[in-house]
Amino acid sequence: MPEFTVGGDSFLLDGRPVRLLSGAMHYFRVHEAQWGHRLAMLRAMGLNCVEAYLPWNLHEPRPGRYEDVAAAGRFIDAAQAAGLWVIVRPGPYICAEWENGGLPHWLTGPLGPRVRTRDPEFLTAVDDWFDAALPQVVARQVTRGGPVLMVQVENEYGSYGSDRAYLRHLADGLRARGVTVPLFTADGPEDHMLTAGSLPGVPAALTFGSGAREAFATLRRHRPDGPLMCAEFWCGWFDHWGEEHVVREPADAVAVLTEILDCDASVNFYMAHGGTSFGGWAGANRAGELHRGALQPDVTSYDYGAPVDEYGRPTAKFEAFREVLARYAAGPLPEPPPPPPALPAAVPARVDGYVPAARVLAALGGPETESGVPPTFEELDVDRGLVRYRFRIPGPRQPYPLLVTGLRDVAVAYVRDAAGERRIALAGEEAPLGDVAGPAEVEVWVESLGRVNYGPRLGEPKGITGGLLHERQYVHGVRARGLRLDALDDAEAVAALGYDPPDTAGADGTDRGDSAGLYRASAEVAHPGDAALELPGWGRGWAWVNGFCLGRYWAAGPQESLYVPGPVLRTGANEVLLLELAGPGGEPVLGPPPT
């Protein structure tokens, strides 16, 4: 079997120096039927390796209940079939602009800042995760005939903490479970990050988007020898809802790539192909240099400005990178594979059914709880989705300001008092509902926009995390019920909801007249292929096509349509479901991929 080792100044394959030309691709952001095509695109760009995270929260949505961990193994096998080596990053934390940085909500909820430390409860859960996930990796190491060359310890830990005992536990745990290929850490090129995030005896790599020479000089102050590697070369960037689309020009990225290679370093493009945060799994960031400011939710598209775009197509950046990487190839690079089939023309989706939000919650939500203070999403076991809070303002009492404190992230409130009924949109951690007289009945529907995936506010809870203040008095006695997004993946339960004609939306008063609820539409497709779902005039919510959750849509932009993988569509009738929270718009359209 081949042997991959770490030499004094380079990586060695069977004793000969080898430069890793790798690219990140997340198997969980690409439809499995399209893995082969995307991997062939990476190979055609000139890469010899692919890097992938393992998202813990996707594979263990509830404690001890593992779901399709074998997908990681299938992806590694697909990479080997494509002629690529593999670098694996099993976490437990992955960042990746992924919900909660890959950490399960059921763990971060009770532990809070104890995660990513030596805390025994956290380490026990991590050990269980490693027990479940690592067999997929260990069996596919290069020493066993597979393509796995290296495994990462944690992920950019020096950007978060300084618990060396925690890092050592992870490294020892990887070895104890059969990982024999080289381990490595990856951190930013800052002294405090490298001192906190690296381990003696474990190769250290860097993550950056520019300034390669300066970055590697910093690394050399900490590690006088060993191979140089940029484990994340940020050749593009991601977008936030409500902000401008981020663009990195090819010439700028090529200049940095050339600088990295001129330093005789290995490189991992982040991302080579970004894909899509299907299923509502997109994370969020906090604004500001210290990542403690306003919430910045990530869009559903993870195109990232990568050389292979969200639809699997080569970009100008692909051609530019391919030209550079061809100089390092042993022979001619393979030609890119033919593009996947695409929907040839726009197809309207006729809305033919509607279910008020309250009825969706009643049928598919979790049990309603009653407690003194509002429970969080985590306490209600809601990872992605909604929570409805209901409470009563006693009376008689005069109008006083009603305030929701610790709101995360956005909400719609319905207040019914002597003045009538009104709907109020809420945002911000201190969210006023105006003056409310007692007695009054109040509902607050809270939506998570994605848990923070990077920085000191990682793992913060969602929902009403503070309390309900009427004047200066807390309101107690709160009923709460959660709706998880994955409840709508149950096709039989969704079909049994009992749809009303769409023109009755809001007419019966159960949704307070704003028409929030689940909308069903149907589109006839003659020639299935990759498509874009366009939703003109729709506000904010989540979309499914034939039971496959495409993710969040939002009129706030900058993302204007949702990617629909061709394998999701079928010849004939196709069902589109929209869980709309702000009010419906015009006719949905399945159109060709955007140009």
Side-chain angles (χ1 to χ4, degrees):
M1 297 297 176
E3 184 182 30
F4 182 81
T5 56
V6 178
D9 58 4
S10 64
F11 295 113
L12 302 173
L13 187 62
D14 288 337
R16 295 186 297 272
V18 62
R19 187 198 302 257
L20 297 183
L21 302 173
S22 180
M25 173 179 157
H26 300 156
Y27 64 88
F28 43 93
R29 280 185 161 124
V30 181
H31 193 285
E32 186 166 352
Q34 297 177 323
W35 286 352
H37 175 268
R38 305 305 197 260
L39 290 165
M41 289 294 294
L42 269 56
R43 187 72 188 89
M45 194 175 83
L47 302 183
N48 57 21
C49 187
V50 63
E51 171 266 305
Y53 286 124
L54 273 59
W56 181 6
N57 54 3
L58 177 69
H59 291 306
E60 193 181 0
R62 290 185 171 91
R65 196 185 87 183
Y66 296 98
E67 295 187 359
D68 199 20
V69 182
R74 297 196 302 273
F75 179 74
I76 294 171
D77 292 342
Q80 185 173 31
L84 294 165
W85 302 110
V86 179
I87 297 170
V88 178
R89 306 168 87 178
Y93 165 78
I94 65 171
C95 186
E97 288 69 58
W98 188 256
E99 164 83 16
N100 225 18
L103 300 177
H105 73 286
W106 49 261
L107 188 61
T108 59
L111 296 188
R114 291 155 54 197
V115 301
R116 301 182 78 187
T117 72
R118 70 187 77 184
D119 177 82
E121 192 173 346
F122 180 66
L123 293 183
T124 296
V126 171
D127 288 344
D128 290 344
W129 161 240
F130 276 4
D131 286 342
L134 288 177
Q136 300 296 326
V137 179
V138 168
R140 293 169 172 86
Q141 295 175 102
V142 64
T143 50
R144 302 193 184 189
V148 176
L149 297 180
M150 291 199 298
V151 174
Q152 183 177 270
V153 180
E154 239 274 357
N155 183 56
E156 293 185 311
Y157 185 67
S159 298
Y160 179 82
S162 58
D163 192 340
R164 285 287 189 90
Y166 163 59
L167 287 184
R168 177 52 62 190
H169 179 93
L170 296 184
D172 291 346
L174 293 169
R175 290 296 188 212
R177 289 166 177 81
V179 175
T180 57
V181 296
L183 304 178
F184 73 101
T185 59
D187 286 286
E190 304 284 345
D191 289 332
H192 69 285
M193 295 179 181
L194 286 166
T195 53
S198 60
L199 279 172
V202 177
L206 298 178
T207 62
F208 56 80
S210 60
R213 287 187 177 87
E214 294 83 355
F216 288 133
T218 300
L219 178 62
R220 279 293 180 234
R221 292 200 302 270
H222 293 260
R223 297 292 176 93
D225 53 20
L228 296 176
M229 181 171 182
C230 178
E232 289 187 15
F233 164 43
W234 305 321
C235 56
W237 205 245
F238 52 90
D239 288 336
H240 294 129
W241 289 113
E243 299 180 9
E244 293 294 320
H245 173 54
V246 180
V247 175
R248 183 169 193 181
E249 296 297 336
D252 178 47
V254 165
V256 179
L257 171 62
T258 302
E259 187 180 355
I260 292 170
L261 298 175
D262 284 349
C263 292
D264 294 325
S266 292
V267 64
N268 178 59
F269 292 84
Y270 194 95
M271 298 289 297
H273 171 57
T276 310
S277 297
F278 297 122
W281 284 105
N285 293 278
R286 286 283 179 180
E289 219 172 286
L290 299 178
H291 301 280
R292 293 183 295 192
L295 189 78
Q296 297 174 303
D298 301 324
V299 302
T300 295
S301 170
Y302 203 60
D303 179 84
Y304 209 88
V308 180
D309 76 5
E310 185 176 14
Y311 287 76
R313 302 171 299 191
T315 66
K317 205 173 281 182
F318 176 94
E319 300 298 341
F321 288 163
R322 176 178 161 91
E323 183 177 343
V324 173
L325 296 174
R327 304 168 199 160
Y328 299 86
L333 295 179
E335 290 300 311
L343 202 66
V347 178
R350 185 177 61 87
V351 179
D352 58 11
Y354 162 75
V355 184
R359 208 160 80 209
V360 176
L361 180 65
L364 302 179
E368 186 167 65
T369 67
E370 185 167 357
S371 56
V373 298
T376 64
F377 275 46
E378 290 73 17
E379 290 168 325
L380 294 169
D381 191 29
V382 176
D383 52 0
R384 300 148 293 137
L386 305 165
V387 170
R388 182 189 66 188
Y389 298 93
R390 298 196 288 183
F391 56 94
R392 185 174 185 275
I393 304 293
R397 62 172 67 185
Q398 65 188 67
Y400 288 120
L402 180 59
L403 182 70
V404 178
T405 67
L407 174 64
R408 298 186 186 136
D409 296 306
V410 293
V412 175
Y414 304 97
V415 179
R416 186 168 63 244
D417 60 13
E421 185 171 306
R422 55 196 180 275
R423 177 183 185 274
I424 306 158
L426 304 177
E429 297 213 11
E430 298 269 312
L433 282 76
D435 290 347
V436 177
E441 300 289 336
V442 182
E443 288 187 15
V444 182
W445 291 70
V446 180
E447 174 193 353
S448 167
L449 295 177
R451 288 181 178 81
V452 168
N453 53 252
Y454 180 86
R457 295 185 67 168
L458 176 74
E460 64 185 11
K462 294 295 186 179
I464 299 177
T465 66
L468 305 160
L469 284 173
H470 195 223
E471 202 255 350
R472 75 199 69 180
Q473 181 189 84
Y474 277 111
V475 179
H476 293 127
V478 180
R479 289 173 290 163
R481 188 172 195 178
L483 176 66
R484 291 172 58 117
L485 276 196
D486 55 12
L488 283 92
D489 295 338
D490 185 338
E492 288 188 12
V494 171
L497 285 172
Y499 290 86
D500 300 332
D503 57 4
T504 64
D508 62 0
T510 55
D511 62 347
R512 308 299 190 261
D514 65 345
S515 303
L518 186 66
Y519 290 80
R520 183 184 64 192
S522 181
E524 289 288 330
V525 172
H527 303 286
D530 281 358
L533 177 63
E534 301 169 9
L535 299 166
W538 292 74
R540 187 182 68 251
W542 295 278
W544 289 257
V545 171
N546 295 329
F548 183 87
C549 185
L550 304 179
R552 184 191 309 279
Y553 61 89
W554 195 352
Q559 184 172 350
E560 297 178 348
S561 62
L562 291 175
Y563 171 50
V564 184
V568 169
L569 295 177
R570 55 192 178 222
T571 302
N574 290 261
E575 182 184 67
V576 177
L577 291 177
L578 304 173
L579 183 58
E580 170 61 39
L581 307 175
E587 189 173 65
V589 175
L590 285 171
T595 55

